[in-house]
Amino acid sequence: MDITLLDASLLIIAGLFAGFINTLAGSGSLITLPLLMFLGLSPHQANATNRVAIFVQNVVAVRNFKQQGLINYKSSLFLVIPALIGSVIGASIAININEEILKLFIGSLLFVMFFVILLKPDKWVKNQAGQVNEKPAFWQIVIFFFIGLYGGFIQAGVGFFLLAGLVLGVGYDLIKANAIKVFIVLTYTALALGLFIYSGQVNFLYGLILAIGNASGAFIASKYAQQIGVKFIRNILLATVFVAGIKVLFL
């Protein structure tokens, strides 16, 4: 599939915003997933191709967070492993699901996440940071399994669920939770992406161009995570998600 200069520019700009948002909080794929569909990819191809950019974005973010001493690979394994198992099941469902059902799910998800973002649940999560003891428990494993299942299936919005789980369920402060979040996403995305590549649903040209933007946004966010926030792009995200939801479902 050929790509125009305009399409490539849109992918890079959207990827920049998405990489920034994904690294600091989540929901950046709510911008890139519908954009890929608008540019002519099927729901299956868009869902699969988006993972290329997510993978590259999180390689950059994990590297920067690791250099800042915010990621301990060994202590994160009890969260990574259930998420990995869940992601394999989720990706397998996404690969084989009926295309119209997937399109309906994506469109509905956009509207649901619009109201989630509008209600600012992240503010409540931030207020709870550090109030839960960091002790591995069976219910934590179950939670991260289902987060991985969702992430493997659709990815969009998974960042908030991970952030909530890491802050409320595990007890990390917000900065460390962001770092562990991108590490978890990197590990399960690598596995899920392999399944999508095997299924033949990945458009590498679109995915790699999008990845340029995602990686740039992730670099900026992870490098300066303690100095910046995402408030100034929240309204842009809300407007984009709302319009995209209408487009996917009704146009």
Side-chain angles (χ1 to χ4, degrees):
M1 181 183 289
D2 295 329
I3 187 168
T4 67
L5 180 60
L6 176 60
D7 290 348
S9 299
L10 288 173
L11 285 170
I12 292 174
I13 294 171
L16 183 66
F17 277 102
F20 186 91
I21 297 169
N22 279 337
T23 304
L24 286 183
S27 302
S29 290
L30 295 173
I31 295 174
T32 57
L33 187 57
L35 176 62
L36 288 166
M37 294 171 63
F38 298 161
L39 295 180
L41 272 61
S42 70
H44 280 111
Q45 290 173 323
N47 189 28
T49 300
N50 189 50
R51 312 308 174 105
V52 177
I54 295 297
F55 176 75
V56 175
Q57 159 202 304
N58 284 285
V59 168
V60 174
V62 165
R63 178 178 178 276
N64 283 339
F65 279 133
K66 179 62 177 176
Q67 289 178 341
Q68 297 173 52
L70 294 172
I71 297 178
N72 184 314
Y73 296 130
K74 187 176 180 180
S75 65
S76 304
L77 283 179
F78 81 96
L79 304 175
V80 169
I81 292 175
L84 277 174
I85 296 171
S87 72
V88 172
I89 299 173
S92 299
I93 295 171
I95 288 168
N96 296 296
I97 195 171
N98 177 274
E99 189 164 292
E100 286 302 313
I101 294 177
L102 181 59
K103 180 180 179 181
L104 179 63
F105 184 90
I106 292 172
S108 300
L109 174 67
L110 290 169
F111 279 113
V112 170
M113 291 308 298
F114 171 83
F115 288 104
V116 169
I117 297 166
L118 190 65
L119 292 172
K120 299 183 179 180
D122 55 313
K123 181 179 291 187
W124 181 74
V125 170
K126 291 176 184 178
N127 292 336
Q128 305 302 312
Q131 295 188 17
V132 183
N133 291 326
E134 186 182 332
K135 293 181 180 180
F138 177 74
W139 64 268
Q140 292 175 346
I141 294 173
V142 172
I143 287 173
F144 281 87
F145 166 80
F146 280 106
I147 292 175
L149 179 71
Y150 175 83
F153 178 69
I154 201 69
Q155 180 64 35
V158 73
F160 171 73
F161 298 124
L162 276 170
L163 202 59
L166 289 164
V167 171
L168 303 178
V170 183
Y172 289 126
D173 63 64
L174 198 64
I175 297 298
K176 188 170 184 179
N178 269 317
I180 300 299
K181 179 202 71 180
V182 298
F183 174 55
I184 294 173
V185 173
L186 173 62
T187 54
Y188 81 64
T189 297
L191 197 56
L193 179 58
L195 293 177
F196 284 115
I197 291 173
Y198 181 76
S199 72
Q201 296 178 356
V202 176
N203 184 307
F204 284 102
L205 177 60
Y206 279 58
L208 291 173
I209 293 173
L210 182 63
I212 294 172
N214 275 60
S216 300
F219 177 82
I220 295 169
S222 58
K223 198 73 173 177
Y224 306 103
Q226 300 184 53
Q227 291 82 37
I228 57 180
V230 295
K231 288 183 178 180
F232 72 99
I233 53 176
R234 179 174 174 272
N235 289 336
I236 296 176
L237 178 60
L238 280 169
T240 303
V241 170
F242 185 77
V243 173
I246 294 175
K247 175 73 174 175
V248 172
L249 284 177
F250 304 113
L251 301 180

